[in-house]
Amino acid sequence: MNSIGQMIFFLLTPISHIGASLFFAKPRFGKWATAAIWLLYVALMMVLPPDTPTANFFLTLVAHFVLFFVTTTGSAQEKGFLFFSYASIYTCCGTLYSVINTRVQSELLKSIFALGLMALMQ
């Protein structure tokens, strides 16, 4: 990690995914069970990360897609729309943070931007 802002963004990402699964869609399980499933997934990805960034991206995309479908209810079209809508918003925020991270020198401002972007996603 290069900055505190990146660490904040990394740590808040699982919370954002849990929030998306609980609040944007209808959870299949209870809130605590859904949160536990997502936290177990995040812990597993941290312990066994893929070797290359490309493999990491595609593996996490597929894993998130499958996990989102397993932990939510509704029609396949509704789940797909919600998943890709959330993924688009998340990608935009991540890209914006990457730009900010390379242009802004202040660690405090990077942290504020990271927290603001994660709050915006929620």
Side-chain angles (χ1 to χ4, degrees):
M1 296 286 161
N2 294 336
S3 71
I4 294 171
Q6 281 179 319
M7 189 180 303
I8 289 171
F9 201 78
F10 178 74
L11 292 174
L12 292 178
T13 294
I15 294 169
S16 178
H17 294 324
I18 292 168
S21 201
L22 290 175
F23 302 114
F24 296 146
K26 296 172 239 154
R28 180 178 306 273
F29 311 108
K31 292 182 188 232
W32 290 108
T34 302
I37 290 168
W38 278 97
L39 288 174
L40 179 64
Y41 161 73
V42 169
L44 193 64
M45 290 302 284
M46 288 173 41
V47 172
L48 304 169
D51 294 336
T52 63
T54 303
N56 189 357
F57 173 78
F58 286 111
L59 180 65
T60 55
L61 179 67
V62 170
H64 277 81
F65 187 75
V66 169
L67 196 56
F68 187 78
F69 267 66
V70 168
T71 59
T72 58
T73 61
S75 68
Q77 295 88 356
E78 180 183 5
K79 290 182 193 181
F81 175 78
L82 289 173
F83 177 82
F84 286 111
S85 296
Y86 173 74
S88 297
I89 292 169
Y90 181 80
T91 302
C92 289
C93 289
T95 303
L96 182 59
Y97 181 75
S98 292
V99 170
I100 289 167
N101 191 40
T102 59
R103 307 240 189 251
V104 175
Q105 299 300 319
S106 169
E107 290 296 321
L108 179 63
L109 282 176
K110 288 179 186 180
S111 301
I112 290 170
F113 278 122
L115 287 170
L117 286 171
M118 295 307 267
L120 179 66
M121 281 196 320
Q122 290 301 317

